[in-house]
């Protein structure tokens, strides 16, 4: 019991600082991603926080496996180079005891990750996309005066002035991005005023007093107008009514999201099992002889993690369902061989 508490204490001292640092870095990345949404739609501060909380399950899911693996390895490595593990081995402790001690927390970590990836992440993903679609459908467009590169559906938009808290703009320019028969339709519209409204599920851009320029072969056509209405039917979010089972069932029948869902399912399960699959790698990387070995534990651990992530991505991309069996089997067999060859024979 004392050895178990001793190892748990060493693990916790490293796990929580690493987790918090990685969580902070991931949060910054997520906020940058969410901030990019504000270039398209207007959202309040509380809505921005809502989007952040929608991304929490995915963020935690990717942070926990890396933190867990590094903490297990570094915890054992620190005890090795402090001569505490060599003393325990000299007193008759077997490295197999370490595996038995880490087995329950690895099981707990993998089970928690499966809940996060297979239950919470799909629900939060659907809620995130549904929230964005609802905001877009509210026609609360965030067009900023004087800025280039803004998009409105299939148009690049430039506005000189915008009335605050309304969707009315002055001196607007629209460049068509639509493609017909693989040739760009180079439509260009100038208008003195534009208003964006939601009319019975259709987005309407009502343009006043302007001109349309269209390229017809080698010539340009100019059309003047007093009022021009551009319409675009608002698309309903096709995943809004998806339940948890329906979400993952998309991986097993033909649909436009089948390949992506199949890849996500494979990556979710493989990464969830990573703490449990790597049980033999913890003593292999963490147990060192401080008299004869140098401390390259961090580099070795990052190399092993990088290798697993690369193999996971390849399996999920090319053999998603078969990879769910192949990668865990190969990873565990190789881990056990390394553990037996370099650790079990000598301790």
């Amino acid at each position: 019991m004392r050895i178990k508490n001793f190892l748990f204490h060493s693990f916790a001292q490293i796990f929580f600082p690493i987790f918090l640092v990685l969580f902070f870095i991931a949060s910054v990345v997520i906020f940058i991603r969410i901030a990019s949404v504000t270039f398209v739609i207007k959202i309040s501060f509380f809505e921005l926080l809502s989007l952040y909380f929608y991304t929490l399950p995915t963020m935690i899911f990717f942070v926990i496996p890396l933190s867990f693996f590094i903490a297990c390895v570094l915890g054992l490595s620190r005890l090795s180079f402090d001569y505490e593990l060599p003393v325990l081995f000299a007193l008759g402790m077997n490295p197999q005891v370490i595996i038995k001690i880490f087995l329950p927390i690895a099981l707990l970590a993998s089970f928690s990750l499966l809940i996060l990836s297979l239950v919470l992440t799909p629900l939060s993903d659907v809620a995130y996309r549904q929230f964005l679609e609802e905001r877009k459908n509210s026609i609360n467009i965030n067009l900023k005066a004087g800025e280039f590169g803004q998009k409105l559906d299939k148009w690049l938009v430039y506005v000189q002035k915008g009335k605050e808290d309304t969707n009315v703009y002055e001196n607007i320019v629209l460049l068509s991005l639509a493609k017909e028969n693989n040739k760009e339709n180079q439509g260009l519209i100038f208008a003195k005023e534009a208003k964006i409204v939601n009319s019975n599920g259709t987005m309407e851009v009502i343009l006043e007093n302007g001109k349309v320029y269209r390229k017809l072969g080698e010539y340009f056509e100019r059309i003047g107008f007093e009022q021009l209405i551009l319409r675009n039917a608002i698309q309903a979010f096709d995943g809004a009514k998806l339940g948890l089972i329906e979400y993952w069932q998309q991986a097993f029948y033909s649909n436009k999201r089948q390949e992506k869902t199949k890849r996500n399912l494979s990556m979710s399960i493989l990464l969830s099992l990573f703490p449990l699959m790597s049980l033999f790698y913890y003593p292999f990387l963490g147990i060192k002889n401080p008299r004869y070995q140098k401390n390259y534990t961090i580099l070795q651990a990052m190399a092993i993690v990088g290798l697993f992530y690369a193999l996971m991505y390849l399996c999920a991309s090319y053999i998603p369902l078969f990879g769910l069996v192949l990668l865990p089997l190969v990873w565990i067999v190789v881990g056990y061989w390394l553990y037996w060859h370099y650790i079990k024979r000598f301790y």
Side-chain angles (χ1 to χ4, degrees), residues 97-153:
V97 173
I98 295 176
I99 294 177
K100 291 180 180 179
I101 290 174
F102 279 122
L103 178 60
I105 57 174
L107 277 171
L108 178 62
S110 290
F111 177 75
S112 301
L113 288 170
L114 284 171
I115 297 297
L116 275 172
S117 60
L118 299 182
V119 179
L120 297 181
T121 297
L123 295 177
S124 63
D125 176 55
V126 170
Y128 182 91
R129 289 188 288 152
Q130 186 176 3
F131 176 87
L132 291 183
E133 290 299 323
E134 288 177 354
R135 296 302 296 163
K136 290 178 183 178
N137 291 351
S138 67
I139 314 299
N140 199 5
I141 305 297
N142 190 19
L143 294 179
K144 296 182 180 179
E147 290 194 7
F148 295 93
Q150 301 177 92
K151 290 183 67 175
L152 182 61
D153 193 40

Side-chain angles (χ1 to χ4, degrees), residues 49 54 72 101 109 111 119 129 230 304:
L49 286 180
Y54 287 146
C72 288
I101 290 174
F111 177 75
V119 179
R129 289 188 288 152
L230 302 177
I304 293 294

Side-chain angles (χ1 to χ4, degrees), residues 39-58:
F39 288 106
V40 181
I41 58 176
K42 297 177 184 177
I43 59 175
S44 66
F45 176 74
F46 291 105
E47 289 171 334
L48 185 143
L49 286 180
S50 297
L51 288 177
Y52 172 75
F53 285 119
Y54 287 146
T55 62
L56 271 181
T58 302

Side-chain angles (χ1 to χ4, degrees), residues 48-76:
L48 185 143
L49 286 180
S50 297
L51 288 177
Y52 172 75
F53 285 119
Y54 287 146
T55 62
L56 271 181
T58 302
M59 186 166 54
I60 294 174
F61 170 68
F62 282 100
V63 168
I64 286 180
L66 181 59
S67 303
F68 188 91
F69 186 90
I70 298 298
C72 288
V73 172
L74 291 186
L76 293 175

Side-chain angles (χ1 to χ4, degrees), residues 15-28 63 67:
F15 174 79
F16 291 106
I18 292 177
F19 175 82
L20 291 175
V21 170
L22 293 178
F23 183 81
F24 174 76
I25 295 173
S27 295
V28 173
V63 168
S67 303

Side-chain angles (χ1 to χ4, degrees), residues 45-302:
F45 176 74
F46 291 105
E47 289 171 334
L48 185 143
L49 286 180
S50 297
L51 288 177
Y52 172 75
F53 285 119
Y54 287 146
T55 62
L56 271 181
T58 302
M59 186 166 54
I60 294 174
F61 170 68
F62 282 100
V63 168
I64 286 180
L66 181 59
S67 303
F68 188 91
F69 186 90
I70 298 298
C72 288
V73 172
L74 291 186
L76 293 175
S77 176
R78 188 178 68 175
L79 294 178
S80 293
F81 285 93
D82 288 343
Y83 287 91
E84 294 176 357
L85 275 184
V87 169
L88 291 176
F89 292 141
L91 293 175
M93 190 185 80
N94 192 299
Q96 197 169 357
V97 173
I98 295 176
I99 294 177
K100 291 180 180 179
I101 290 174
F102 279 122
L103 178 60
I105 57 174
L107 277 171
L108 178 62
S110 290
F111 177 75
S112 301
L113 288 170
L114 284 171
I115 297 297
L116 275 172
S117 60
L118 299 182
V119 179
L120 297 181
T121 297
L123 295 177
S124 63
D125 176 55
V126 170
Y128 182 91
R129 289 188 288 152
Q130 186 176 3
F131 176 87
L132 291 183
E133 290 299 323
E134 288 177 354
R135 296 302 296 163
K136 290 178 183 178
N137 291 351
S138 67
I139 314 299
N140 199 5
I141 305 297
N142 190 19
L143 294 179
K144 296 182 180 179
E147 290 194 7
F148 295 93
Q150 301 177 92
K151 290 183 67 175
L152 182 61
D153 193 40
K154 296 180 181 179
W155 298 85
L156 270 178
V157 182
Y158 172 82
V159 295
Q160 188 177 43
K161 284 184 179 181
K163 295 181 181 179
E164 197 165 332
D165 298 327
T166 67
N167 289 314
V168 178
Y169 304 93
E170 297 179 6
N171 298 328
I172 185 170
V173 181
L174 296 96
L175 174 64
S176 175
L177 297 176
K179 293 185 179 181
E180 296 177 359
N181 300 324
N182 296 324
K183 295 181 180 179
E184 292 191 4
N185 181 8
Q186 300 179 1
L188 186 63
I189 301 177
F190 297 88
K192 291 186 176 180
E193 185 176 280
K195 184 176 182 180
I196 303 174
V197 298
N198 185 345
S199 177
N200 297 322
T202 301
M203 183 177 71
E204 292 186 351
V205 182
I206 303 174
L207 305 171
E208 305 284 348
N209 301 320
K211 293 181 175 63
V212 177
Y213 294 86
R214 293 194 305 170
K215 186 177 181 182
L216 300 175
E218 297 179 356
Y219 302 95
F220 281 93
E221 179 183 47
R222 186 180 71 175
I223 304 173
F225 62 86
E226 292 185 1
Q227 185 180 80
L228 175 65
I229 301 177
L230 302 177
R231 293 188 175 94
N232 181 60
I234 297 172
Q235 300 294 325
F237 173 47
D238 57 1
K241 296 182 180 180
L242 282 180
L244 190 60
I245 296 176
E246 291 80 8
Y247 183 93
W248 291 119
Q249 279 181 342
Q250 294 178 105
F252 302 101
Y253 66 89
S254 179
N255 61 87
K256 63 180 181 180
R257 288 182 58 86
Q258 182 182 17
E259 293 304 318
K260 183 177 181 180
T261 305
K262 193 183 296 185
R263 183 174 67 250
N264 290 344
L265 177 62
S266 181
M267 291 181 65
S268 296
I269 295 176
L270 290 174
L271 192 54
S272 297
L273 297 177
F274 180 55
L276 189 59
M277 290 160 46
S278 302
L279 270 176
F280 296 110
Y281 290 88
Y282 305 145
F284 164 66
L285 295 173
I287 296 177
K288 306 287 185 182
N289 189 323
R291 294 186 61 185
Y292 304 108
Q293 294 176 286
K294 294 184 178 180
N295 192 359
Y296 297 124
T297 308
I298 295 179
L299 294 178
Q300 293 169 343
M302 295 307 297

